[in-house]
Amino acid sequence: MSSEENKRLVRRFYEEIDRGNLDAMDELVAEDYKDHSPPPFPGFAEGREGLKQVFRLFWEATPGTHEIEDQVAEGDKVVTRLTARGVHEGDLPGIPATGNALTMTGTVIHRIENGKLAEKWSDKDLHGLLTQLGVLPPLGAAPE
């Protein structure tokens, strides 16, 4: 696949997530998908099935969107800088729903193999997310 086709694949991945269409993952993601930066919650399966479990959890608890800010592709890799937005409407593991609006930035590298997402590395603002969820105090806040 060309660099442009790879970027389109990654964009479609996020579009399908935003639609809540997790069935599309069967078409877009390799069965043995490897997430080198797993979610902050334990207990998910490996591979594509684990990815679907994670996105189902987040879709139900924090429905929202992904905005792609930048994309760069070379060879079999696509780097995407994005902003995710949602509302914490449902419980996350150990974190009851707050109703808070959420914004998280991230940079994600996907490796494509045979027309599917095969691997992912990401750097997300988890501290910012956990602060918005009320799990951590804001930076510089006095301890309670």
Side-chain angles (χ1 to χ4, degrees), residues 1-2 4 24 30 65 75 87-88 108 110-111 115 117 121 123 139 142:
M1 292 177 62
S2 72
E4 286 306 313
T65 60
V87 177
H88 187 206
V108 183
H110 284 100
R111 186 179 69 79
L117 303 178
W121 298 262
D123 183 20
L139 288 175

Side-chain angles (χ1 to χ4, degrees), residues 26 29-34 46-49 116-117:
D26 294 336
V29 178
E31 188 173 349
D32 61 348
Y33 177 82
K34 175 71 175 157
E46 296 286 321
R48 179 174 59 211
E49 194 52 43
K116 293 187 177 192
L117 303 178

Side-chain angles (χ1 to χ4, degrees), residues 91-111:
D91 296 345
L92 290 167
I95 308 171
T98 63
N100 293 348
L102 306 172
T103 301
M104 182 174 67
T105 58
T107 303
V108 183
I109 302 170
H110 284 100
R111 186 179 69 79

Side-chain angles (χ1 to χ4, degrees), residues 22-98:
L22 298 184
D23 291 336
M25 298 305 111
D26 294 336
E27 176 188 345
L28 303 173
V29 178
E31 188 173 349
D32 61 348
Y33 177 82
K34 175 71 175 157
D35 186 346
H36 296 279
S37 310
F41 309 111
F44 295 101
E46 296 286 321
R48 179 174 59 211
E49 194 52 43
L51 173 74
K52 290 166 76 171
Q53 291 171 355
V54 169
F55 278 117
R56 186 173 294 113
L57 170 75
F58 277 97
W59 174 255
E60 291 173 359
T62 62
T65 60
H66 295 82
E67 179 182 351
I68 294 177
E69 310 286 353
D70 288 306
Q71 265 190 327
V72 178
E74 184 173 324
D76 63 352
K77 293 189 178 71
V78 175
V79 179
T80 305
R81 185 176 64 86
L82 56 84
T83 302
R85 293 181 178 82
V87 177
H88 187 206
E89 295 178 353
D91 296 345
L92 290 167
I95 308 171
T98 63

